[in-house]
Amino acid sequence: MGALCAGHSRDTLDRFSDRCLHVSPCLSDPARRSTCCLRITLVMLHLIYLGVLFVFDKDLIHKTKEEPWYTTVYLILFAATLVQYFITSGSSPGYVVDAMRAVNEADASRNRASITSKQPASSKNGDVVIAIDRNQVGNNLQGRGTIAWTKLVMDMYPSGTSLRGVTCSNCNVVQPPRAKHCHDCDKCVLQFDHHCVWLGTCIGQGNHCAFWWYICGETALSLWTGTLYIQFLKSDISKPWWLYAIMILLLATLFFCLIFLLLLLLFHSYLILTNQTTYELVRRRRIQYLRNIPERVYPFSRGACRNLYEFCCARRSKYRMEPLPTGQELEDKLRPYTCSDVLSCRCCC
């Protein structure tokens, strides 16, 4: 009887799992399932911290009635932070294969227009008829697409660079400078920074700006929430001991998260101002084209102001690739700053 009930329960659970996978096919992937659980956990943590305040803090409720703008601004920041989290986690970091496809399509369009214009035309009843062998054109364009991407990328490296040395052994694509293969995403990422477990995606050229704004919003929200918790604990209203214990535990956890967020925000602000990535900073001696460059030289930096402008405002191209600096450019960057350089804003230009 017990075995029969166990078998029936197992069949019911299997049918329920099949229905869940049918409704959400992404749950069949363990990596996506783990990412989904992390996202739910993060949202629940936000709701717990918010809910505890509005359930137990009577001063905050009273202040909301007298000054509704204060609570409104806090709730707007709370909602904006969660929205920015989902925007960042759902955005593409800029995959090399997508950039290669875009370059190949643009080159194929130019070649198609060029081949069409060179075809002999015949006139019949005043109409111009152009004869095109589509199979031959398609085969020519397919071969030229890969060549176009390879030539574009190899022009960014110094002459004499081996093609095999810059080809990814996993994706089998030619990597431009600053790109790296992510083993979690199983794709090469432009300007790879790191793979964020909480976001479930890589941070790269395409979403680094969104990631920085998310950290900024999360830091401000944590700071404001911590202030509200401290005000609640300092109030003179008598409270049960278990409520004090819960609030102190939540506040201690929030404090450690706030320290981490502040350090992360400062670290990525430094990376932005110097035009670096986390991977380039941590693994500098293992990256071939950075190995022989002195530590205090930032090869891709164009000055703090210009770096900041290009990071925030000058996203003209979805896939922007930077060539390696020349020897003369590295010598200029190696030259120490003088008083005249500071007055002329050399460090910003």
Side-chain angles (χ1 to χ4, degrees):
M1 186 67 180
L4 182 62
C5 292
H8 180 71
S9 300
R10 191 160 43 248
D11 293 339
T12 304
L13 184 61
D14 291 341
R15 285 196 298 268
F16 178 75
S17 301
D18 293 339
R19 289 181 180 179
C20 291
L21 294 178
H22 179 72
V23 174
S24 300
C26 62
L27 295 178
S28 59
D29 186 0
R32 291 188 178 183
R33 190 162 57 244
S34 176
T35 301
C36 184
C37 292
L38 284 173
R39 290 175 180 174
I40 293 174
T41 302
L42 188 136
V43 173
M44 290 301 298
L45 284 174
H46 282 74
L47 293 177
I48 288 172
Y49 274 92
L50 181 69
V52 168
L53 277 176
F54 280 93
V55 170
F56 297 108
D57 194 351
K58 300 188 184 303
D59 287 345
L60 180 60
I61 298 174
H62 182 70
K63 189 173 184 178
T64 301
K65 295 178 181 178
E66 292 184 348
E67 300 176 355
W69 63 268
Y70 182 85
T71 306
T72 302
V73 174
Y74 176 75
L75 292 177
I76 289 174
L77 177 61
F78 180 87
T81 302
L82 287 181
V83 169
Q84 186 64 27
Y85 168 78
F86 284 105
I87 289 175
T88 307
S89 63
S91 59
S92 171
Y95 295 115
V96 173
V97 65
D98 295 333
M100 183 177 67
R101 188 180 298 112
V103 170
N104 292 347
E105 289 176 355
D107 184 71
S109 298
R110 287 192 297 268
N111 292 331
R112 190 178 294 109
S114 175
I115 293 174
T116 302
S117 63
K118 292 179 181 179
Q119 290 293 328
S122 60
S123 177
K124 182 179 181 181
N125 297 330
D127 297 331
V128 178
V129 180
I130 301 177
I132 301 176
D133 187 350
R134 297 186 181 276
N135 293 330
Q136 181 180 358
V137 172
N139 293 333
N140 291 337
L141 296 181
Q142 186 177 4
R144 289 175 61 90
T146 306
I147 296 175
W149 170 257
T150 304
K151 183 178 183 305
L152 176 67
V153 173
M154 294 306 295
D155 287 343
M156 299 180 182
Y157 290 97
S159 59
T161 302
S162 171
L163 177 63
R164 186 176 182 180
V166 296
T167 301
C168 177
S169 58
N170 298 282
C171 298
N172 198 30
V173 297
V174 183
Q175 292 179 332
R178 313 190 74 182
K180 181 189 176 297
H181 184 85
C182 175
H183 295 282
D184 295 291
C185 298
D186 199 25
K187 290 182 181 179
C188 290
V189 179
L190 296 170
Q191 289 188 21
F192 175 83
D193 190 89
H194 70 284
H195 183 89
C196 183
V197 178
W198 282 99
L199 290 169
T201 186
C202 280
I203 304 301
Q205 183 195 87
N207 59 0
H208 199 177
C209 184
F211 176 73
W212 187 90
W213 280 110
Y214 165 66
I215 298 174
C216 187
E218 195 72 72
T219 304
L221 180 64
S222 299
L223 187 61
W224 198 340
T225 305
T227 303
L228 293 175
Y229 270 73
I230 293 174
Q231 291 176 355
F232 174 75
L233 291 173
K234 290 173 63 178
S235 61
D236 296 331
I237 303 174
S238 59
K239 308 176 186 69
W241 66 270
W242 56 266
L243 183 56
Y244 274 106
I246 291 175
M247 298 297 285
I248 292 173
L249 179 62
L250 291 175
L251 184 60
T253 306
L254 184 63
F255 174 77
F256 286 109
C257 292
L258 180 59
I259 295 298
F260 173 76
L261 287 170
L262 282 172
L263 294 176
L264 191 64
L265 181 63
L266 292 174
F267 175 69
H268 277 274
S269 299
Y270 164 74
L271 293 178
I272 293 166
L273 293 175
T274 55
N275 195 9
Q276 297 184 89
T277 64
T278 302
Y279 174 70
E280 291 172 344
L281 184 66
V282 175
R283 300 296 180 91
R284 187 175 182 122
R285 291 304 175 190
R286 295 182 59 182
I287 301 175
Q288 183 178 2
Y289 53 84
L290 296 178
R291 193 175 298 159
N292 299 321
I293 300 177
E295 290 287 342
R296 63 187 183 88
V297 175
Y298 311 122
F300 300 103
S301 177
R302 300 177 182 178
C305 296
R306 190 170 179 182
N307 290 338
L308 184 61
Y309 172 76
E310 291 188 351
F311 182 82
C312 298
C313 307
R315 296 288 175 176
R316 295 178 297 273
S317 174
K318 187 177 181 181
Y319 305 110
R320 182 171 54 88
M321 293 173 288
E322 301 178 68
L324 291 177
T326 61
Q328 183 61 44
E329 290 174 339
L330 289 176
E331 288 182 7
D332 293 339
K333 295 177 186 296
L334 188 60
R335 181 167 57 88
Y337 292 114
T338 62
C339 294
S340 60
D341 291 332
V342 175
L343 293 176
S344 61
C345 296
R346 178 191 158 209
C347 59
C348 297
C349 302

